Amino acid sequence: MRKPRKRSFAELVLENKRQILKDQAAMEKIEERLEEKRLHKAE
């Protein structure tokens, strides 16, 4: 049996990005937070 190889940080980031893009609720939450940041910077 082979030992599973460790994934690089870049691979983990890509996998996480794919999961978030599939999850509409997570996308909406991120968009809301970005919008709040933009509004605070505009003040």
Side-chain angles (χ1 to χ4, degrees), residues 21-40:
L21 287 170
K22 280 189 226 165
D23 184 357
Q24 198 58 39
M27 283 294 290
E28 288 172 12
K29 195 172 179 182
I30 291 168
E31 287 171 3
E32 284 174 18
R33 283 199 307 223
L34 287 173
E35 192 67 32
E36 280 181 32
K37 281 184 183 179
R38 284 191 203 109
L39 290 173
H40 286 298

Side-chain angles (χ1 to χ4, degrees), residues 10-23:
E11 288 173 318
L12 290 171
V13 169
L14 277 173
E15 185 181 323
N16 195 18
K17 185 178 174 182
R18 280 191 217 107
Q19 286 176 345
I20 290 172
L21 287 170
K22 280 189 226 165
D23 184 357

